Amino acid sequence: MTRTKFDEQLEELHISMIKMGSLCEEAISLSARSLEELDEKLETRVFSLETEIDQMEREIETKCMRLLLHQQPVARDLRAVSAALKMISDMERIGDQAADIVELVPYIAQSEWRGRIRITDMAKKTVSMVTESIEAFVKKDMQLAQNVIDKDDEVDDLFLKVKQELMDFVRSQNVDAEPALDLLMAAKYFERIGDHAVNVAEWVQYSITGIHKSSEHHLGK
């Protein structure tokens, strides 16, 4: 494979990554909207997006393997391809967890006290993290990637607040705890999506600098 051909295929990889990222943005945005508006009709679209994201992951894996096998990449190229493989794993999990959230919406809709819990704050924050992590990849923007990483603590704090609000409400109102568990699970999914957005941002930084912040990133979450 000539260098020109390699560069063309690398650009195709980047375009596919951007497309997969946009699908993730739409999936998480719709799941957040579904939770806020209790619109169960959005579920079908989120499930369709999850399927598209899974398919894109397989296609991008194939492109990465082809690039690695057909030419000995230089260090910069190797970083880009290896980072892409890591990033699509996190993006695939974002799609899965967006689908997990909309599955909970019919149960959460039965709760009369859903609006008193600030889970929508978490949703908005994680949506912005996913959007900015993809934008950081597109622009190769170190600072934007760092902004995503810095927001992780904010999402973690919001999760703890949501958890405490749910506990306090159940105790004070003596209500059925099952809807609270559904809301807590949705909040946990948003927290995990935030973790995956951080992973994407860290791999963006690695693709630029060749240095990964820590071997203790959140891939297992």
Side-chain angles (χ1 to χ4, degrees):
M1 184 189 297
T2 65
R3 181 68 218 187
T4 300
K5 184 65 174 177
F6 184 88
D7 288 339
E8 288 175 357
Q9 291 195 3
L10 196 60
E11 181 60 24
E12 288 176 9
L13 172 63
H14 288 160
I15 292 170
S16 296
M17 293 281 292
I18 292 166
K19 181 179 178 181
M20 185 177 180
S22 68
L23 293 174
C24 290
E25 288 181 59
E26 184 179 359
I28 182 58
S29 295
L30 287 176
S31 69
R33 182 177 146 200
S34 176
L35 185 64
E36 185 173 8
E37 300 176 3
L38 297 180
D39 186 349
E40 297 175 31
K41 291 181 290 186
L42 296 173
E43 182 178 292
T44 302
R45 177 56 183 158
V46 174
F47 288 155
S48 175
L49 286 166
E50 182 195 16
T51 300
E52 289 184 64
I53 290 167
D54 289 346
Q55 183 177 347
M56 290 275 338
E57 182 189 28
R58 291 190 293 270
E59 291 176 2
I60 291 171
E61 282 178 345
T62 300
K63 289 179 180 180
C64 287
M65 291 301 103
R66 189 179 297 124
L67 282 166
L68 291 173
L69 290 172
H70 289 180
Q71 178 168 315
Q72 189 69 34
V74 297
R76 184 190 66 234
D77 299 328
L78 187 59
R79 287 202 309 268
V81 175
S82 60
L85 285 168
K86 296 291 188 180
M87 289 165 65
I88 61 173
S89 175
D90 281 293
M91 289 194 284
E92 188 272 335
R93 292 300 298 140
I94 288 171
D96 287 347
Q97 284 154 2
D100 290 335
I101 290 166
V102 294
E103 283 186 333
L104 291 171
V105 168
Y107 306 101
I108 293 171
Q110 299 172 21
S111 167
E112 295 179 359
W113 44 275
R114 174 199 61 87
R116 305 187 196 184
I117 308 301
R118 291 176 293 178
I119 192 170
T120 53
D121 293 342
M122 277 194 77
K124 290 174 183 176
K125 184 72 69 174
T126 52
V127 167
S128 72
M129 288 175 70
V130 172
T131 299
E132 288 178 8
S133 67
I134 302 304
E135 188 178 348
F137 169 73
V138 172
K139 296 180 177 178
K140 295 181 172 58
D141 189 326
M142 283 284 292
Q143 186 55 56
L144 190 56
Q146 188 60 47
N147 291 347
V148 174
I149 295 166
D150 292 342
K151 287 181 181 178
D152 193 40
D153 288 341
E154 298 175 34
V155 171
D156 290 344
D157 288 343
L158 283 169
F159 174 74
L160 293 176
K161 288 178 182 177
V162 167
K163 182 178 178 182
Q164 189 61 52
E165 286 175 347
L166 287 167
M167 291 171 59
D168 292 345
F169 196 84
V170 170
R171 287 170 181 165
S172 65
Q173 302 295 321
N174 192 28
V175 295
D176 182 8
E178 189 168 344
L181 293 176
D182 291 329
L183 269 169
L184 184 62
M185 184 62 71
K188 189 63 180 176
Y189 286 137
F190 281 119
E191 184 196 36
R192 289 176 178 173
I193 288 168
D195 287 338
H196 289 299
V198 167
N199 287 340
V200 171
E202 288 179 349
W203 287 114
V204 168
Q205 291 186 333
Y206 168 78
S207 70
I208 297 168
T209 65
I211 301 170
H212 194 276
K213 278 196 149 190
S214 169
S215 60
E216 298 178 356
H217 43 74
H218 308 281
L219 285 173
K221 292 190 178 183

